Amino acid sequence: MSRTTGRLRPRCMDGQENTMASATRAAETTRLAGPREWFGLAVLATAALVIAIDTSVVLLALPSIAVESGADASQQLWIVDAYGFALAGLLVAFGGLADRLGRRRMAMFGAATIAIASAVAAFAPSPEVLIAARALTGVGAAALTPALYGLLTGMFRDDRQRSVALGLFMTCLMGGMIVGPLVGGMALSSFWWGSVFLIAVPVMVLVLAMLPFTADGAVDGDGEEARRNPHRRGIDPVSVPLSLLAVLPIVFGFKESARIGIQWAPVVAIALGAYFLVAFVRRQRRLADDPHREPLLDLSMFRRRGFSLVLFSLFLMTMLTGPLMMLNTQYFQLVAGADVLAAGLYTVPPAIVGVAGFVVAPLVARRIRPGFVISAGLALTVVGLLVMAQISPSTGPLPLILGFSLVSFGAAPLPTLGTNLIIGSVPLEKASSAASTSETSGQLGYALGIAVLGSIVTAVYRLQMTSSEVGTAQHGDAAESLAGAVDIAVATGDGVLRAASAAAYCSGVQASALLAAVIMAILAVVTAVRLRRIGRFGR
């Protein structure tokens, strides 16, 4: 009687099975996607579009929410931040769980959660209920986003097809961040503030109806492997809370630094998060050799060529360019005097150019190495930042529109090609986990960017306002923020104060854009050198 399982399996059989497994993986890699997969991409991309719009539209709706719901300053902050806290804190955990429990199940859980939470948010009777609903929406987005990447990777095994599919997917995911203010402006101009949250409900219901037909159990990592392999290691229950304790305090610290400056509370939060991050990493390393439990995050991914550099590049780019949309919106409304609809319309040109960038980047990467395409895009982003640095009260919105259009086009190759490099460099069964690290780096980068660039704009604004007689002698509160200065100027009819505050704000935007341009220029050189050996897609 011979046993061929566990530790007693003959080496010759192991070798045969490894050879067969390698041949199977090679065949799967060359399998081309058909009409069902491309239709499935449309469903996944639609879900991504709604997530992105839901992320960006809240900022535009916040003034209306504050007036009609009676939310105070602290509650307004949590209405914006509750979503981001839940999303950033749960991405790593849900990405790992999606690879183990099933990506389709996790995607359907996320879509259902977003639909329910959005409906509650739209009709929230109080700011507290709205904050809770926004946090629940973040939970749904954290479950849905990495599952979408994993499903997409399973449907598109061919590298060239996957790069195109990712380009279209990222067009919706990243483009939705830009068109969100336009959609929100149209909704707010015709309906009440809750209408901006209702946008997600019918779309997520449609996604729930179509997912079973577009992403079935044939996709690897959708729970089939766990049923076929009874010896597969279990999920470590400690890793999930450790990941939350690592990410949430760091995100909170960054956001609080942007709000109140460098004080003891955000510093302690960041230090606490760093402590749990070290504990999380150490536990994942120990679990790598545990025969019974497997790590939530496979740290060996970070040793793959280009993986860590792309993650760091995404972190920096999001940190330096993500907050620009918020700065632009404030200029449009508080300096240029545009209403919410007009401010949304100003975002249309960058949106169109950004969509073109996401579509073109994968096509160009077939002929030019991805590292060079990414580097060239970053160089174009530098040009756009320099154009934005020319902003002043007298120029009007044109430098911001033109400059941010260049930034949108130049920034497109990194998330599109970079994400393909990340999920393409790991085994298919780890695709959602790899995607979650990419999304988490972006969330952390955006939070840090709000803190850093927001602090620069605020510091320059206050310095320029307090050094003038207008900001100190007559209206001391005007030196605190542009919004406060505009409110005082409108109430008192003080045109001099409004002009001075607008000039001070533009100086802050100029300083932040110039700093971002310098760092992005350095990053362009580094990516060109370090990613130069990665071959063209499909070769």
Side-chain angles (χ1 to χ4, degrees), residues 5-52:
T5 60
R7 296 172 182 249
L8 301 179
R9 186 186 299 271
R11 292 186 178 180
C12 61
M13 184 167 291
D14 284 342
Q16 292 173 356
E17 291 186 354
N18 288 337
T19 301
M20 294 174 62
S22 299
T24 300
R25 285 193 297 269
E28 289 178 345
T29 301
T30 56
R31 191 188 73 181
L32 296 179
R36 186 181 185 186
E37 285 77 14
W38 290 105
F39 178 72
L41 173 64
V43 176
L44 303 184
T46 301
L49 178 65
V50 173
I51 292 175

Coordinates of all heavy atoms in Angstrom, one line a residue, residues 5-52:
T5 N 0.5 11.2 -0.7 CA 0.1 12.5 -0.2 C 1.0 12.9 0.9 O 1.7 12.1 1.5 CB -1.4 12.5 0.3 OG1 -1.5 11.6 1.3 CG2 -2.3 12.2 -0.8
G6 N 0.9 14.2 1.3 CA 1.7 14.7 2.4 C 3.2 14.6 2.3 O 3.7 14.6 1.2
R7 N 3.9 14.3 3.4 CA 5.3 14.2 3.4 C 5.9 12.9 2.7 O 7.1 12.9 2.4 CB 5.8 14.3 4.8 CG 5.5 15.6 5.5 CD 5.8 15.5 6.9 NE 5.5 16.8 7.6 CZ 6.4 17.7 8.0 NH1 7.6 17.4 8.0 NH2 5.9 18.8 8.6
L8 N 5.0 11.9 2.5 CA 5.4 10.6 2.0 C 5.3 10.5 0.5 O 5.6 9.5 -0.1 CB 4.6 9.5 2.6 CG 4.7 9.3 4.1 CD1 3.8 8.2 4.6 CD2 6.1 9.1 4.6
R9 N 5.0 11.6 -0.2 CA 4.8 11.6 -1.6 C 6.2 11.4 -2.3 O 7.1 12.1 -2.0 CB 4.2 13.0 -2.1 CG 3.9 13.0 -3.6 CD 3.5 14.4 -4.0 NE 2.3 14.8 -3.3 CZ 1.1 14.6 -3.7 NH1 0.9 13.9 -4.8 NH2 0.0 15.0 -3.0
P10 N 6.3 10.5 -3.2 CA 7.6 10.3 -3.9 C 8.0 11.5 -4.7 O 7.2 12.2 -5.2 CB 7.3 9.1 -4.8 CG 6.1 8.4 -4.3 CD 5.3 9.5 -3.6
R11 N 9.4 11.7 -4.7 CA 9.9 12.9 -5.4 C 9.6 12.8 -6.9 O 9.4 13.8 -7.5 CB 11.4 13.0 -5.1 CG 11.7 13.3 -3.7 CD 13.2 13.5 -3.5 NE 13.5 13.9 -2.2 CZ 14.8 14.2 -1.8 NH1 15.8 14.1 -2.6 NH2 15.0 14.5 -0.5
C12 N 9.6 11.6 -7.4 CA 9.4 11.5 -8.9 C 8.0 12.0 -9.2 O 7.8 12.7 -10.2 CB 9.6 10.1 -9.4 SG 8.5 8.9 -8.6
M13 N 7.0 11.7 -8.4 CA 5.7 12.1 -8.6 C 5.6 13.6 -8.4 O 4.8 14.3 -9.2 CB 4.7 11.4 -7.7 CG 3.2 11.7 -8.0 SD 2.1 10.6 -7.1 CE 2.4 9.1 -8.1
D14 N 6.3 14.2 -7.4 CA 6.3 15.6 -7.2 C 6.8 16.3 -8.5 O 6.3 17.3 -8.9 CB 7.1 16.0 -6.0 CG 6.4 15.7 -4.7 OD1 5.2 15.6 -4.7 OD2 7.1 15.7 -3.7
G15 N 7.9 15.8 -9.1 CA 8.4 16.4 -10.2 C 7.5 16.3 -11.4 O 7.4 17.3 -12.2
Q16 N 6.8 15.2 -11.6 CA 5.8 15.1 -12.7 C 4.7 16.1 -12.5 O 4.3 16.7 -13.5 CB 5.3 13.6 -12.7 CG 6.3 12.6 -13.1 CD 5.7 11.2 -13.0 OE1 4.6 11.0 -12.5 NE2 6.5 10.2 -13.4
E17 N 4.2 16.2 -11.2 CA 3.1 17.1 -11.0 C 3.5 18.5 -11.2 O 2.7 19.4 -11.7 CB 2.5 16.9 -9.6 CG 1.8 15.5 -9.5 CD 1.1 15.4 -8.1 OE1 1.3 16.3 -7.3 OE2 0.4 14.4 -7.9
N18 N 4.7 18.9 -10.8 CA 5.2 20.2 -11.0 C 5.3 20.5 -12.5 O 5.0 21.7 -12.9 CB 6.6 20.4 -10.3 CG 6.5 20.4 -8.8 OD1 5.4 20.8 -8.3 ND2 7.6 20.1 -8.1
T19 N 5.8 19.6 -13.2 CA 5.9 19.8 -14.7 C 4.5 20.0 -15.3 O 4.3 20.9 -16.1 CB 6.6 18.6 -15.3 OG1 7.9 18.4 -14.8 CG2 6.7 18.8 -16.8
M20 N 3.5 19.2 -14.8 CA 2.2 19.3 -15.4 C 1.6 20.7 -14.9 O 0.9 21.3 -15.7 CB 1.3 18.2 -14.9 CG 1.7 16.8 -15.4 SD 0.7 15.5 -14.6 CE -0.9 15.9 -15.2
A21 N 1.9 21.1 -13.7 CA 1.3 22.4 -13.2 C 1.9 23.5 -14.0 O 1.2 24.5 -14.4 CB 1.6 22.5 -11.7
S22 N 3.2 23.4 -14.3 CA 3.9 24.5 -15.1 C 3.3 24.6 -16.5 O 3.0 25.6 -17.0 CB 5.4 24.2 -15.2 OG 6.0 24.2 -13.9
A23 N 3.0 23.4 -17.1 CA 2.4 23.4 -18.4 C 1.0 24.0 -18.4 O 0.6 24.7 -19.3 CB 2.4 21.9 -19.0
T24 N 0.3 23.6 -17.3 CA -1.1 24.2 -17.2 C -1.0 25.7 -17.1 O -1.8 26.4 -17.7 CB -1.8 23.6 -16.0 OG1 -1.8 22.1 -16.2 CG2 -3.2 24.1 -15.8
R25 N -0.1 26.2 -16.2 CA 0.0 27.7 -16.1 C 0.4 28.3 -17.4 O -0.1 29.4 -17.7 CB 1.0 28.0 -15.0 CG 0.4 27.7 -13.6 CD 1.3 28.4 -12.5 NE 2.7 27.8 -12.5 CZ 3.0 26.8 -11.8 NH1 2.2 26.2 -10.9 NH2 4.3 26.3 -11.8
A26 N 1.3 27.7 -18.1 CA 1.7 28.3 -19.4 C 0.5 28.3 -20.4 O 0.3 29.3 -21.1 CB 2.8 27.5 -20.0
A27 N -0.3 27.3 -20.4 CA -1.5 27.3 -21.3 C -2.5 28.3 -20.9 O -3.0 29.0 -21.7 CB -2.1 25.9 -21.3
E28 N -2.7 28.5 -19.6 CA -3.6 29.5 -19.1 C -3.1 30.9 -19.4 O -3.9 31.8 -19.8 CB -3.8 29.4 -17.6 CG -4.6 28.2 -17.2 CD -4.7 28.0 -15.7 OE1 -3.9 28.7 -15.0 OE2 -5.5 27.3 -15.2
T29 N -1.8 31.1 -19.4 CA -1.2 32.4 -19.7 C -1.5 32.8 -21.1 O -1.7 34.0 -21.5 CB 0.3 32.4 -19.4 OG1 0.5 32.1 -18.0 CG2 0.9 33.8 -19.7
T30 N -1.5 31.8 -22.1 CA -1.6 32.1 -23.5 C -3.1 32.1 -23.9 O -3.4 32.4 -25.1 CB -0.8 31.1 -24.3 OG1 -1.2 29.8 -24.0 CG2 0.7 31.3 -24.0
R31 N -4.0 31.7 -23.0 CA -5.4 31.7 -23.4 C -5.9 33.1 -23.6 O -5.8 34.0 -22.8 CB -6.2 31.0 -22.2 CG -7.6 30.7 -22.6 CD -8.4 30.2 -21.4 NE -8.7 31.3 -20.5 CZ -9.4 31.2 -19.4 NH1 -9.7 30.0 -18.9 NH2 -9.6 32.2 -18.6
L32 N -6.6 33.3 -24.7 CA -7.1 34.6 -25.1 C -8.5 34.7 -24.6 O -9.3 33.8 -24.6 CB -7.1 34.8 -26.6 CG -5.7 34.8 -27.2 CD1 -5.8 34.9 -28.7 CD2 -4.8 35.9 -26.6
A33 N -8.9 35.9 -24.2 CA -10.2 36.2 -23.7 C -11.2 36.3 -24.8 O -10.8 36.8 -25.9 CB -10.2 37.5 -22.9
G34 N -12.4 36.0 -24.6 CA -13.5 36.0 -25.6 C -14.5 37.1 -25.3 O -14.3 37.9 -24.4
P35 N -15.6 37.1 -26.0 CA -16.7 38.1 -25.8 C -17.2 38.1 -24.3 O -17.5 39.2 -23.8 CB -17.8 37.6 -26.8 CG -17.1 36.9 -27.8 CD -15.9 36.2 -27.1
R36 N -17.3 36.9 -23.7 CA -17.8 36.9 -22.3 C -16.9 37.6 -21.4 O -17.3 38.4 -20.5 CB -18.0 35.4 -21.9 CG -18.6 35.3 -20.5 CD -18.7 33.9 -20.1 NE -19.5 33.8 -18.8 CZ -19.6 32.7 -18.2 NH1 -19.1 31.5 -18.6 NH2 -20.3 32.6 -17.0
E37 N -15.6 37.5 -21.6 CA -14.6 38.2 -20.7 C -14.7 39.7 -20.9 O -14.6 40.5 -20.0 CB -13.2 37.7 -20.9 CG -12.9 36.3 -20.4 CD -13.5 35.2 -21.1 OE1 -13.9 35.4 -22.3 OE2 -13.5 34.0 -20.6
W38 N -14.8 40.1 -22.2 CA -14.9 41.6 -22.4 C -16.2 42.2 -21.9 O -16.2 43.3 -21.5 CB -14.7 41.8 -23.9 CG -13.3 41.6 -24.4 CD1 -12.9 40.5 -25.2 CD2 -12.1 42.4 -24.2 NE1 -11.5 40.6 -25.4 CE2 -11.0 41.7 -24.8 CE3 -11.9 43.5 -23.5 CZ2 -9.8 42.2 -24.8 CZ3 -10.6 44.1 -23.4 CH2 -9.6 43.4 -24.1
F39 N -17.3 41.4 -22.0 CA -18.5 41.9 -21.4 C -18.3 41.9 -19.9 O -18.8 42.9 -19.2 CB -19.7 41.0 -21.8 CG -21.0 41.4 -21.1 CD1 -21.6 42.5 -21.6 CD2 -21.5 40.6 -20.1 CE1 -22.8 42.9 -21.0 CE2 -22.7 41.0 -19.5 CZ -23.4 42.1 -20.0
G40 N -17.7 41.0 -19.3 CA -17.4 41.0 -17.9 C -16.6 42.2 -17.5 O -16.8 42.8 -16.4
L41 N -15.6 42.6 -18.3 CA -14.8 43.8 -18.1 C -15.7 45.0 -18.0 O -15.5 45.9 -17.1 CB -13.8 44.0 -19.2 CG -13.0 45.3 -19.1 CD1 -12.2 45.4 -17.8 CD2 -12.1 45.4 -20.4
A42 N -16.7 45.1 -18.8 CA -17.7 46.2 -18.8 C -18.4 46.3 -17.4 O -18.6 47.4 -16.9 CB -18.7 46.1 -19.9
V43 N -18.7 45.1 -16.9 CA -19.4 45.1 -15.6 C -18.5 45.6 -14.5 O -18.8 46.4 -13.7 CB -20.0 43.7 -15.3 CG1 -20.6 43.7 -13.9 CG2 -21.0 43.3 -16.4
L44 N -17.2 45.0 -14.5 CA -16.2 45.4 -13.5 C -15.9 46.9 -13.6 O -15.7 47.5 -12.6 CB -15.0 44.5 -13.7 CG -15.2 43.0 -13.6 CD1 -13.8 42.3 -13.7 CD2 -15.9 42.6 -12.4
A45 N -15.7 47.4 -14.8 CA -15.3 48.8 -15.0 C -16.5 49.7 -14.5 O -16.2 50.8 -14.0 CB -15.0 49.0 -16.4
T46 N -17.7 49.3 -14.7 CA -18.8 50.1 -14.3 C -18.8 50.2 -12.8 O -19.1 51.3 -12.2 CB -20.2 49.5 -14.8 OG1 -20.1 49.4 -16.2 CG2 -21.3 50.3 -14.3
A47 N -18.5 49.1 -12.1 CA -18.5 49.1 -10.6 C -17.3 50.1 -10.2 O -17.5 50.8 -9.2 CB -18.2 47.7 -10.1
A48 N -16.2 50.0 -10.9 CA -15.0 50.8 -10.5 C -15.4 52.3 -10.7 O -15.0 53.2 -10.0 CB -13.8 50.5 -11.4
L49 N -16.1 52.6 -11.8 CA -16.5 54.0 -12.1 C -17.3 54.6 -10.9 O -17.1 55.7 -10.5 CB -17.3 54.1 -13.4 CG -17.8 55.5 -13.8 CD1 -16.7 56.4 -14.1 CD2 -18.8 55.3 -15.0
V50 N -18.3 53.8 -10.4 CA -19.1 54.3 -9.3 C -18.3 54.5 -8.1 O -18.5 55.4 -7.3 CB -20.3 53.3 -9.1 CG1 -21.1 53.6 -7.9 CG2 -21.2 53.2 -10.3
I51 N -17.4 53.6 -7.8 CA -16.5 53.7 -6.6 C -15.8 55.0 -6.7 O -15.7 55.8 -5.7 CB -15.6 52.5 -6.5 CG1 -16.3 51.3 -6.2 CG2 -14.5 52.8 -5.4 CD1 -15.4 50.0 -6.1
A52 N -15.2 55.3 -7.9 CA -14.4 56.5 -8.0 C -15.3 57.8 -7.9 O -14.9 58.8 -7.3 CB -13.7 56.5 -9.4

